[in-house]
Amino acid sequence: MSSALANIQRHTKLEDVQGILTGTMLIALGINFYSQVGLITGGTAGIAFLLNYLTSFTFGQIFFVINLPFYWLSIRRIGWEFTLKTFASVFLVSAFTDITPMFLQLQDINPVYATITGGFLIGVGFVVLFRHNASLGGLNILARYLFQTRGVPIGKFMMVVDCSVVFASIFVVDIELIAISIMGAVILNFMLVMNHKPGRYSVSF
């Protein structure tokens, strides 16, 4: 371990709590922007959006359930601390996403504005979670594992995954909204590429 990494201080538990709460609330708000106009995104969240649009289950319910199988990889490959923080983050995003409409009504929102603002909100939320040794589970666990073990940039990996999911949604979402959603995916992952690079910010695991 380099001297730079050796001198890095861990976040306190209080800092982790505020970070995870802040990150998940930002992400949930961005998801509500997307959901209100019928947009799509990538990864496990994108799958949850598609199933939400096709069934009577809420995004939060679907998102929580489809993340469950990925915790096994997280425990084996990354560790209990990351897994527990990620489980808490997934639970909070699921809950915040479902209760946000009780407090904030978004009946009339422009799709382009929704994807730009939502993309920035979700992107910032992800960066906050990553910096507190957490994620939103699913393919983000795989992305985090590849980042830690192989140095694969999280943003670039998720860019490929997210665009694939967005294109697969052609049978569920209008083509115009898919095009707008792609812009949102680019914005979201641009935030990750610019703000989460190897060596720029690390914590002790």
Side-chain angles (χ1 to χ4, degrees):
M1 179 180 293
S2 67
S3 59
L5 288 177
N7 292 329
I8 292 173
Q9 295 183 347
R10 294 173 60 91
H11 289 118
T12 66
K13 288 184 172 57
L14 180 60
E15 289 170 340
D16 283 337
V17 169
Q18 69 81 27
I20 290 174
L21 284 173
T22 300
T24 53
M25 291 183 74
L26 289 172
I27 292 168
L29 182 58
I31 289 173
N32 272 277
F33 273 58
Y34 278 25
S35 180
Q36 181 60 36
V37 294
L39 297 174
I40 195 71
T41 188
T44 45
I47 298 172
F49 269 122
L50 292 177
L51 294 176
N52 174 227
Y53 297 151
L54 290 171
T55 70
S56 60
F57 295 103
T58 68
F59 174 91
Q61 292 169 338
I62 297 170
F63 186 65
F64 181 80
V65 170
I66 63 177
N67 270 285
L68 294 176
F70 290 95
Y71 295 123
W72 178 82
L73 173 63
S74 180
I75 293 170
R76 287 179 58 87
R77 297 296 186 178
I78 305 179
W80 277 100
E81 180 182 346
F82 174 82
T83 303
L84 291 174
K85 289 181 179 179
T86 295
F87 180 85
S89 298
V90 170
F91 174 80
L92 288 172
V93 165
S94 300
F96 288 152
T97 299
D98 284 355
I99 68 173
T100 294
M102 301 178 186
F103 305 98
L104 178 66
Q105 301 299 317
L106 299 169
Q107 289 92 345
D108 187 16
I109 181 172
N110 181 275
V112 174
Y113 177 83
T115 196
I116 292 174
T117 304
F120 277 119
L121 287 169
I122 297 172
V124 171
F126 271 130
V127 171
V128 173
L129 292 184
F130 290 149
R131 291 185 174 182
H132 286 272
N133 195 23
S135 79
L136 280 189
L139 291 170
N140 290 300
I141 290 177
L142 178 59
R144 183 61 179 267
Y145 169 69
L146 292 175
F147 172 72
Q148 290 183 317
T149 60
R150 306 293 177 83
V152 178
I154 291 176
K156 292 180 181 179
F157 174 82
M158 292 307 299
M159 176 79 79
V160 174
V161 172
D162 291 352
C163 288
S164 299
V165 174
V166 169
F167 282 120
S169 67
I170 192 170
F171 299 105
V172 179
V173 180
D174 291 339
I175 193 67
E176 180 179 353
L177 291 178
I178 291 177
I180 296 174
S181 296
I182 292 173
M183 179 172 62
V186 171
I187 292 172
L188 191 162
N189 287 284
F190 174 79
M191 295 293 295
L192 297 181
V193 170
M194 294 299 295
N195 293 282
H196 199 77
K197 298 179 180 179
R200 172 168 291 182
Y201 186 98
S202 300
V203 295
S204 301
F205 301 116

